[in-house]
Amino acid sequence: MNVIPSPRDRAASLFQEQWTIYRKMVDNNYLFHHEAYGCLRDLILRNAPRGFSFLDVACGDARGTIGVLDGTPIGRFIGIDLSAPALAVARKTTATLDCPVDLIESDFRTALKSIKGQIDIAWIGLSLHHFANDQKLPILAQLRHLVGREGLVVFYENASPDGEDRDQWLQRWDLQQSLWTALTPVEWHAVRDHVRSSDYPETRSAWIALGHLAGFSQIEEMMVSPTDLFRMFALRA
Ligand SMILES: C[S@@+](CC[C@H](N)C(=O)[O-])C[C@H]1O[C@@H](n2cnc3c(N)ncnc32)[C@H](O)[C@@H]1O
C-alpha cells in the first residue's frame, strides 16, 4: 500500500498559509474554475430536484460554489474543510443562501462518515488528488453511500491522459510558469513545491476505474481543461 505521510498537514498548507496565492490562481482562472463551475451549474440545473441537498467536499471559501448555486432551488448546503480561515470566509459567502447551511471544520474523510440524510449532489473541487490511488477509493465509496441510488457525485481533479505518469504530468504542470504571469517567482515556486509534494493525479481510465470500484455504474467525463491537467467526471449509481 502506498501511504503518503501526513496528508492532512500537507494538503491543507497551501490554503492555510498561502491563501493569497491560491486566490490569485483562481481569480486569473489558471485552473479553469470558470469552465468547471459553469459545467457544475449546468449539471445542477439539469438534474437537481427542488429543495436539493448539496455537499461541498473541501469547500475552501465556497466562492466558486456560491456562484453556481445562485438562483437554484437548493434546500440544504453542507461544506467541509480543514481550514478555519477558509471556513470563516465561507460563512460569509454562504450567508446569501436561502436554506440551512452547515459548515464543518474537519478532515472530510472523518466528516463524511457522520453526515446524515440524503445528499442529492456531492461536489469535490481539486482536493481528492491529495490522496494516493488506494486512499481515494474509500472516499468515493463513502460519497456513493451518501448519494444513494438517485444522487450525483461530481468531481474536478488533477488528471492525465491515459499513458501519462505522474512525472510527465508534473513536467506539463511546469510549462504553466510562463503563462501564469500574475504569480511572482516566489509564489510560483511555492505552488510548484506544493504540487510536487502533495498532488497525485490519476489517468482518465484510473479515475473511471476508481468510480466503478466505488460502486458507480454511470461515469461520464464532463470536461477536460484546455491544459489537459484537470478533468471533470459525473458519477451515478
Ligand atoms: C485547492 S483547494 C480547493 C478549494 C475549492 N474546492 C475549489 O474548487 O477551489 C483545496 C481545499 O481542500 C481543503 N482540504 C485539503 N485536504 C482536506 C481534507 N483532508 N479534509 C478537508 N479539507 C481538505 C483545503 O483546506 C482547501 O480548502
Side-chain angles (χ1 to χ4, degrees):
M1 190 167 101
N2 179 16
V3 177
I4 300 158
S6 309
R8 180 185 171 109
D9 296 342
R10 285 182 299 97
S13 66
L14 188 66
F15 212 111
Q16 288 176 329
E17 295 156 19
Q18 298 164 13
W19 163 281
T20 321
I21 306 178
Y22 187 68
R23 280 276 20 125
K24 253 192 200 184
M25 292 166 67
V26 175
D27 291 345
N28 285 282
N29 204 31
Y30 290 159
L31 309 177
F32 300 96
H33 275 73
H34 180 73
E35 291 78 0
Y37 279 84
C39 194
L40 175 63
R41 183 172 168 84
D42 287 347
L43 270 170
I44 290 174
L45 293 176
R46 279 192 278 121
N47 294 282
R50 178 151 290 280
F52 70 94
S53 50
F54 184 89
L55 171 63
D56 192 345
V57 181
C59 58
D61 61 9
R63 270 176 51 175
T65 30
I66 214 67
V68 163
L69 296 171
D70 184 41
T72 64
I74 184 168
R76 181 185 179 204
F77 178 94
I78 304 165
I80 309 169
D81 205 282
L82 272 178
S83 162
L87 286 183
V89 182
R91 207 154 288 122
K92 293 183 189 148
T93 317
T94 54
T96 56
L97 288 174
D98 188 18
C99 70
V101 171
D102 195 4
L103 294 174
I104 305 167
E105 184 184 329
S106 169
D107 186 321
F108 60 69
R109 291 168 299 174
T110 310
L112 288 176
K113 292 179 191 149
S114 62
I115 289 176
K116 302 271 181 283
Q118 163 74 29
I119 297 296
D120 294 305
I121 311 242
W123 159 251
I124 314 182
L126 298 177
S127 293
L128 205 46
H129 62 265
H130 293 137
F131 299 93
N133 182 286
D134 58 357
Q135 296 171 318
K136 289 171 178 121
L137 180 57
I139 299 168
L140 286 173
Q142 187 64 32
L143 289 171
R144 163 68 186 83
H145 170 71
L146 284 172
V147 300
R149 294 220 62 77
E150 305 297 328
L152 186 64
V153 172
V154 189
F155 66 77
Y156 179 62
E157 287 295 343
N158 300 14
S160 280
D162 285 347
E164 182 177 76
D165 64 20
R166 180 172 183 261
D167 283 344
Q168 291 167 323
W169 183 91
L170 288 169
Q171 282 168 25
R172 290 197 303 111
W173 175 282
D174 284 350
L175 299 177
Q176 304 305 302
Q177 184 174 13
S178 61
L179 303 173
W180 292 7
T181 51
L183 298 188
T184 66
V186 170
E187 288 170 337
W188 162 262
H189 283 287
V191 175
R192 184 176 186 270
D193 288 350
H194 165 83
V195 167
R196 289 193 166 251
S197 67
S198 301
D199 283 19
Y200 295 86
E202 302 291 341
T203 62
R204 177 185 187 278
S205 292
W207 276 121
I208 292 171
L210 277 168
H212 284 306
L213 283 171
F216 296 95
S217 61
Q218 299 175 57
I219 303 174
E220 197 178 345
E221 185 179 68
M222 305 304 301
M223 185 197 138
V224 182
S225 71
T227 50
D228 205 357
L229 290 169
F230 312 101
R231 287 172 194 241
M232 183 187 283
F233 294 91
L235 304 89
R236 292 179 178 80

